Amino acid sequence: MMDAQTLLRAYDQELRTDAETQNALSETHLGLLRLVTFDGDQGFVTYPHPDDAEATQMPQLVPRVLDHFREKPTINQVEWKTRDHDGVLGLHQALVGNGFQPDDPESIMIGEAKMLDVNVQLPAGVTLRCVTEEADIRRMTAMESLVFGRPLDDMADVLLRRLALKDGMQLWVAEAEGQIVSAGRLEPVVGTNFAGIWGGATLESWRGRGIYRALTATRSRSALDLGKTLIYSDSTEYSRPILERSGLVKVSTTTPYRWYR
């Protein structure tokens, strides 16, 4: 079993590269920073693990980053993705001082895919499948809207466009009596050993029955079939304990900061 430091090193070396922005519509570099535009009018800021000099300069770049995105009238919000182990002093103050709002911190979870490939007993009547049809995807995002408490109508359109690109993304759902009760994505990362598991959501009345863990195991099995040996996810406190029981390890913390036009 790989230890947390080895997993974190693999995360920094393999994922904080072009791999992190492979679906970008556009990308501009500002020093170490990558200023990215994604489908859905989303701006995104990320960067490799900085050295001491780069970390010192980063807070000073926040106003220039905002100037860049303000000049793009279609961009309605920007996410600046921070990682706790970067240790960038003064970045929080610079972001908040320029109008960014921090979301809740999330745990960066990583583990070996083979450890998650286990048999999980599903409740009677619950089945899992990978979906590609528009009707299924809209049913899936409607369920996720209920779970997350906000409309995700645009997300269905984004996912449909992603599927049309055939970039390897898979959408998995759990169904019971014709209703989607849980769902999650698998996103293999080109040129790396990683696949990401994202968008995990389960209706409250179906939680605690092993369904999300079964979806995690199924996605990990699919990742192994694609030659991916490592699984990663940014997890809320709802999903972190489930992923820990499945074999993922918390290697750091990430906090998204968001700016809204």
Side-chain angles (χ1 to χ4, degrees), residues 146-216:
L146 291 176
V147 173
F148 295 126
R150 64 180 187 273
L152 297 173
D153 298 338
D154 292 344
M155 179 57 70
D157 295 328
V158 171
L159 293 175
L160 287 166
R161 288 194 289 269
R162 283 282 308 280
L163 285 174
L165 295 175
K166 300 185 184 302
D167 62 3
M169 181 187 70
Q170 298 176 7
L171 305 175
W172 287 86
V173 301
E175 292 176 297
E177 301 175 354
Q179 178 186 24
I180 293 179
V181 299
S182 185
R185 303 193 309 276
L186 175 71
E187 300 204 17
V189 184
V190 176
T192 76
N193 293 308
F194 281 90
I197 52 176
W198 306 104
T202 305
L203 290 175
E204 186 173 4
S205 60
W206 288 89
R207 294 173 191 166
R209 307 192 200 185
I211 298 173
Y212 179 71
R213 191 176 183 197
L215 274 174
T216 300

Side-chain angles (χ1 to χ4, degrees), residues 187-257:
E187 300 204 17
V189 184
V190 176
T192 76
N193 293 308
F194 281 90
I197 52 176
W198 306 104
T202 305
L203 290 175
E204 186 173 4
S205 60
W206 288 89
R207 294 173 191 166
R209 307 192 200 185
I211 298 173
Y212 179 71
R213 191 176 183 197
L215 274 174
T216 300
T218 297
R219 286 179 287 172
S220 299
R221 191 171 306 126
S222 184
L224 286 167
D225 291 341
L226 295 170
K228 303 302 181 182
T229 58
L230 296 173
I231 297 292
Y232 79 109
S233 181
D234 296 343
S235 302
T236 66
E237 285 305 293
Y238 290 106
S239 57
R240 179 189 56 77
I242 301 172
L243 295 179
E244 284 182 331
R245 289 195 294 271
S246 297
L248 269 68
V249 177
K250 180 178 178 178
V251 299
S252 187
T253 300
T254 178
T255 302
Y257 287 72

Side-chain angles (χ1 to χ4, degrees), residues 10-257:
Y11 172 87
D12 280 338
Q13 292 176 349
E14 295 190 44
L15 291 178
R16 300 179 70 177
T17 63
D18 291 341
E20 190 174 18
T21 57
Q22 60 187 9
N23 295 307
L25 299 179
S26 66
E27 181 173 336
T28 300
H29 288 223
L30 179 60
L32 189 69
L33 304 180
R34 294 169 178 260
L35 315 185
V36 181
T37 302
F38 282 121
D39 195 4
D41 299 331
Q42 302 288 315
F44 184 66
V45 183
T46 187
Y47 38 89
H49 181 58
D51 60 29
D52 290 344
E54 291 164 335
T56 299
Q57 296 169 2
M58 199 175 298
Q60 304 168 31
L61 297 177
V62 175
R64 293 176 61 188
V65 169
L66 276 182
D67 287 343
H68 169 81
F69 285 112
R70 283 194 178 105
E71 292 174 359
K72 296 178 177 290
T74 61
I75 298 296
N76 294 315
Q77 63 174 292
V78 178
E79 175 187 341
W80 186 305
K81 187 175 180 66
T82 69
R83 282 89 165 185
D84 186 62
H85 66 283
D86 287 343
V88 183
L89 297 177
L91 183 57
H92 167 81
Q93 292 83 353
L95 289 169
V96 172
N98 283 275
F100 282 86
Q101 305 169 25
D103 284 354
D104 291 335
E106 298 174 337
S107 298
I108 301 174
M109 307 293 295
I110 306 180
E112 296 179 73
K114 64 183 180 182
M115 295 183 61
L116 280 71
D117 180 13
V118 296
N119 292 320
V120 180
Q121 185 68 41
L122 284 167
V126 176
T127 58
L128 308 182
R129 66 186 177 104
C130 186
V131 297
T132 58
E133 297 298 323
E134 179 175 352
D136 288 327
I137 293 165
R138 294 199 181 280
R139 289 171 58 223
M140 181 189 78
T141 55
M143 182 276 296
E144 292 174 332
S145 293
L146 291 176
V147 173
F148 295 126
R150 64 180 187 273
L152 297 173
D153 298 338
D154 292 344
M155 179 57 70
D157 295 328
V158 171
L159 293 175
L160 287 166
R161 288 194 289 269
R162 283 282 308 280
L163 285 174
L165 295 175
K166 300 185 184 302
D167 62 3
M169 181 187 70
Q170 298 176 7
L171 305 175
W172 287 86
V173 301
E175 292 176 297
E177 301 175 354
Q179 178 186 24
I180 293 179
V181 299
S182 185
R185 303 193 309 276
L186 175 71
E187 300 204 17
V189 184
V190 176
T192 76
N193 293 308
F194 281 90
I197 52 176
W198 306 104
T202 305
L203 290 175
E204 186 173 4
S205 60
W206 288 89
R207 294 173 191 166
R209 307 192 200 185
I211 298 173
Y212 179 71
R213 191 176 183 197
L215 274 174
T216 300
T218 297
R219 286 179 287 172
S220 299
R221 191 171 306 126
S222 184
L224 286 167
D225 291 341
L226 295 170
K228 303 302 181 182
T229 58
L230 296 173
I231 297 292
Y232 79 109
S233 181
D234 296 343
S235 302
T236 66
E237 285 305 293
Y238 290 106
S239 57
R240 179 189 56 77
I242 301 172
L243 295 179
E244 284 182 331
R245 289 195 294 271
S246 297
L248 269 68
V249 177
K250 180 178 178 178
V251 299
S252 187
T253 300
T254 178
T255 302
Y257 287 72

